[in-house]
Amino acid sequence: MIVVVLLGCLILPFLLNYVYTTKNRRFYQLLEEFPSYPTYPIIGNLDKVYGRSDDVLRKLEKCMQPYNRIVFWFATIPTLILKKYDDIMAVTNQCHDRDFYGFTLPWTDVGVVTARYDEWKKSRKMLAPAFSTEMLFKYVNVFNDKASALVDKFKSVADTDQEINVWEHTMATNMDIFLENMMGVSTTVDGESGKNFGEAWCIAFQCINQRLFAVWLRPFFINYVYLKITRKIKYLKQLHEFPEKLIEGTVADFRNGSKNFDDVCSSKTMIDLQVKKSLLDASITRKRMRDEISQIIGAGMETSSLNVCFTMLNLAINQDLQQKVYEEITQLPTENGILTFSQLSNDLKYLEQCIRETGRLYCVAVWSSRRTHKDCPLPDGKVIPAGTVILINLRWALTDEELYKNPHKWDPDRFSEEEVAKRPKGSDLVFGYGARSCIGTKYGIISVKTQLAHILREYHLSTSIKQLTAEDLTTDLMVRSKIGYPIKFTRRRNLQKN
Ligand code: HEM
């Protein structure tokens, strides 16, 4: 009897697998048209990328090197990985669905970034007013105030020989900006919870990345126990507490009458939009609101902070280009140094080129993903079957030699109007493409531009780093510098005296 049960346990998974693949024969046949590596039961192709989490993505990119497309088996989930611009265009134009198979749990569940198509449409529609031109115009005061506060933070080290890692400061500033503009919270991250929240997202990114590649962490329970043993579970509380408090506060404002529906109609801060919606629609739970807010902050804060850091570092390395940006900034007339919405949208073109070039070369969001909800034909006639998970390697597409000569050089001139016009439409994938591209593109550019303009007008930047190489970078879901972002600040007025 025991032998029969054991045999049954052994044979059953294979039998179920056989029935499933036979039922979905067309799906697997279409995927077989794409190159792949030999697969093994349960682990799929994960043997190819096994290792430390910062090595894993490097290994995956190595697997892709000989191919423009591969089907990679993340354990039992076949995933089509794309890196060529025209394939990416075809997919991002046709597919607006994503599927994370719950890998982001327990950190975050459904929100605009992770939501399947139907839920996503609702989220995106609700969030759109917070990113309208009218709102961007309003946000500019906060961008200026916080950028000016960031300048002040560097005063104590200015004109000394000390280099400081600017990461923590830019991260705190971007959090402050976000809280004040999107959440209507006038606070500073030097008060603990916001800072803890930022730190928790960094850990969450690492853990989600690790779970994607470590097959043994796939079952939710094992992953949870692992987080407990490694004491990372404490960051879960940190990640949830902060948006929960914000929601609690806003709901209380409604209940005690200090906010009312009419206010909300005129106010379009993200938190007010969320709470208003949840008060009208009982299906929007607190947890859903929490994850929505958390994902937006996670998506916007680190990407913007990293862009500020990498741009500062590259300008500190490339002194002649820094001078060019400085001249552009100082030629712009301002009242008390305040940059207007129009200036931030239409002027400071070279500074914007620097920001876009940083986005290209240190493509902070390396991977984008989609899931086909119907068959998706590619330009060469091959068809991606409905239900396929697709990973798009944006870093690869943005360093493709066919589009960018000498692609590993930081060269803002690539984003001059003439150079952009030479490349195919949509090839600048820094913010993704299609209906599911970055909702915060304009917000992000204006915010980063304000911070850099204020810093560069006040300080001359230098660094002991001669060149940032691929070895200096590490990747979880984002690209970061392993050696930090060390900058020395000299006040411009003192520089001119010397
Ligand atoms: C320099 C800054 C930024 C960069 C480089 C960046 C990059 C990206 C990329 C590559 C995607 C994926 C797009 C795709 O799949 O086609 C994305 C999505 C997203 N980003 Fe950004 N982003 C930045 C700033 C922001 C900001 C400031 C916010 C919010 C305030 C934001 C919110 C989002 C959201 C919500 C999504 C998911 C959109 C959806 O699925 O509909 N991002 N971003």
Side-chain angles (χ1 to χ4, degrees):
M1 183 64 181
I2 292 171
V3 177
V4 174
V5 171
L6 280 178
L7 269 178
C9 289
L10 274 178
I11 292 166
L12 195 65
F14 288 96
L15 201 67
L16 287 175
N17 188 37
Y18 176 77
V19 172
Y20 183 78
T21 44
T22 313
K23 222 174 129 200
N24 296 288
R25 185 171 293 155
R26 181 175 173 276
F27 175 81
Y28 290 103
Q29 273 172 349
L30 283 173
L31 281 187
E32 272 167 21
E33 294 287 311
F34 298 97
S36 185
Y37 286 95
T39 56
Y40 299 98
I42 303 175
I43 62 162
N45 293 140
L46 288 177
D47 60 308
K48 290 254 164 271
V49 293
Y50 184 74
R52 276 202 354 247
S53 76
D54 56 341
D55 281 343
V56 161
L57 291 173
R58 227 181 273 256
K59 287 184 183 169
L60 186 59
E61 286 184 336
K62 208 167 157 207
C63 289
M64 290 173 61
Q65 200 138 25
Y67 306 105
N68 288 334
R69 311 151 170 174
I70 58 168
V71 172
F72 197 90
W73 286 75
F74 287 91
T76 49
I77 304 169
T79 305
L80 181 64
I81 307 186
L82 302 175
K83 64 180 192 188
K84 278 289 176 189
Y85 152 78
D86 39 6
D87 282 350
I88 297 173
M89 285 296 104
V91 164
T92 48
N93 269 322
Q94 296 178 70
C95 315
H96 314 312
D97 197 8
R98 283 202 187 114
D99 194 346
F100 282 89
Y101 289 99
F103 288 148
T104 56
L105 291 170
W107 303 99
T108 186
D109 195 357
V110 180
V112 65
V113 180
T114 56
R116 299 292 311 270
Y117 183 66
D118 287 334
E119 285 297 312
W120 165 77
K121 261 202 316 197
K122 286 190 226 158
S123 291
R124 190 95 187 197
K125 195 169 162 207
M126 189 204 34
L127 294 172
F131 293 92
S132 64
T133 307
E134 178 201 350
M135 289 308 285
L136 288 177
F137 187 84
K138 286 192 188 166
Y139 297 153
V140 165
N141 284 343
V142 173
F143 290 152
N144 273 293
D145 283 355
K146 302 295 176 191
S148 160
L150 180 60
V151 166
D152 289 346
K153 285 185 189 170
F154 300 130
K155 266 187 188 157
S156 63
V157 288
D159 306 322
T160 68
D161 278 339
Q162 201 186 337
E163 271 186 350
I164 61 155
N165 184 356
V166 291
W167 167 247
E168 288 222 345
H169 297 293
T170 57
M171 180 77 169
T173 296
N174 281 284
M175 183 65 133
D176 282 353
I177 292 176
F178 200 91
L179 288 181
E180 192 142 350
N181 277 336
M182 296 272 159
M183 304 294 155
V185 178
S186 187
T187 176
T188 159
V189 180
D190 298 326
E192 275 308 297
S193 50
K195 192 170 169 198
N196 289 345
F197 177 81
E199 185 190 14
W201 252 125
C202 288
I203 302 289
F205 278 134
Q206 287 162 15
C207 294
I208 294 167
N209 190 39
Q210 187 181 22
R211 189 169 178 214
L212 192 65
F213 294 101
V215 75
W216 58 277
L217 287 177
R218 289 290 170 89
F220 181 84
F221 176 71
I222 296 179
N223 184 45
Y224 198 83
V225 171
Y226 173 77
L227 294 175
K228 269 204 137 155
I229 293 169
T230 53
R231 293 168 193 242
K232 290 194 174 134
I233 208 77
K234 71 172 183 190
Y235 295 102
L236 190 64
K237 193 165 165 244
Q238 259 174 241
L239 191 73
H240 290 168
E241 226 168 40
F242 184 58
E244 272 163 6
K245 256 196 220 157
L246 293 179
I247 294 167
E248 226 36 77
T250 313
V251 171
D253 284 348
F254 279 103
R255 295 228 164 102
N256 66 27
S258 56
K259 267 188 182 165
N260 60 47
F261 268 92
D262 293 335
D263 281 344
V264 181
C265 293
S266 60
S267 153
K268 291 181 184 125
T269 60
M270 205 177 79
I271 188 110
D272 287 349
L273 290 167
Q274 288 271 348
V275 171
K276 178 189 169 194
K277 189 95 181 150
S278 75
L279 293 176
L280 295 173
D281 177 352
S283 70
I284 301 179
T285 60
R286 288 279 171 95
K287 177 172 167 283
R288 173 67 201 273
M289 273 201 279
R290 178 196 75 197
D291 288 347
E292 193 76 89
I293 287 167
S294 173
Q295 288 187 17
I296 291 265
I297 305 182
M301 196 184 52
E302 286 216 45
T303 44
S304 305
S305 316
L306 283 166
N307 193 300
V308 174
C309 290
F310 276 121
T311 308
M312 282 172 81
L313 203 48
N314 275 284
L315 288 172
I317 294 170
N318 296 282
Q319 289 287 318
D320 48 336
L321 305 186
Q322 186 182 155
Q323 184 59 24
K324 201 168 163 182
V325 176
Y326 176 65
E327 281 164 18
E328 186 185 55
I329 296 167
T330 47
Q331 273 160 22
L332 205 62
T334 59
E335 238 173 74
N336 302 324
I338 308 288
L339 294 158
T340 64
F341 176 69
S342 157
Q343 288 174 325
L344 289 163
S345 307
N346 306 317
D347 300 319
L348 298 176
K349 294 243 186 278
Y350 191 71
L351 177 57
E352 184 163 332
Q353 286 175 222
C354 295
I355 293 166
R356 288 188 181 269
E357 173 63 350
T358 296
R360 182 194 71 81
L361 186 56
Y362 307 98
C363 177
V364 288
V366 179
W367 297 97
S368 162
S369 84
R370 297 286 188 278
R371 185 182 188 273
T372 47
H373 57 285
K374 56 181 184 194
D375 285 358
C376 173
L378 291 175
D380 66 353
K382 287 205 171 137
V383 173
I384 311 174
T388 309
V389 175
I390 297 169
L391 267 186
I392 297 167
N393 190 308
L394 291 174
R395 174 160 61 183
W396 210 300
L398 287 163
T399 49
D400 187 340
E401 285 201 350
E402 285 173 24
L403 295 173
Y404 303 95
K405 272 190 215 131
N406 198 1
H408 297 287
K409 181 171 182 238
W410 189 78
D411 175 8
D413 284 336
R414 296 178 203 281
F415 284 90
S416 67
E417 269 174 35
E418 308 82 73
E419 288 304 310
V420 170
K422 287 182 197 163
R423 291 192 292 269
K425 182 175 171 278
S427 55
D428 301 329
L429 289 158
V430 175
F431 295 92
Y433 194 76
R436 208 142 183 184
S437 64
C438 177
I439 197 171
T441 304
K442 191 148 188 209
Y443 178 99
I445 289 182
I446 293 187
S447 165
V448 169
K449 222 173 174 179
T450 319
Q451 293 169 56
L452 289 168
H454 277 255
I455 292 169
L456 291 159
R457 187 170 51 199
E458 182 68 17
Y459 301 113
H460 169 265
L461 312 181
S462 54
T463 177
S464 53
I465 294 177
K466 300 276 171 281
Q467 200 63 49
L468 263 183
T469 64
E471 279 63 48
D472 298 325
L473 303 176
T474 178
T475 317
D476 39 64
L477 293 178
M478 309 222 169
V479 174
R480 301 165 201 276
S481 160
K482 278 196 250 180
I483 49 176
Y485 312 86
I487 302 280
K488 189 175 128 186
F489 294 85
T490 310
R491 281 193 186 85
R492 281 280 170 184
R493 55 174 181 272
N494 291 344
L495 193 74
Q496 277 147 14
K497 272 189 222 152
N498 296 335

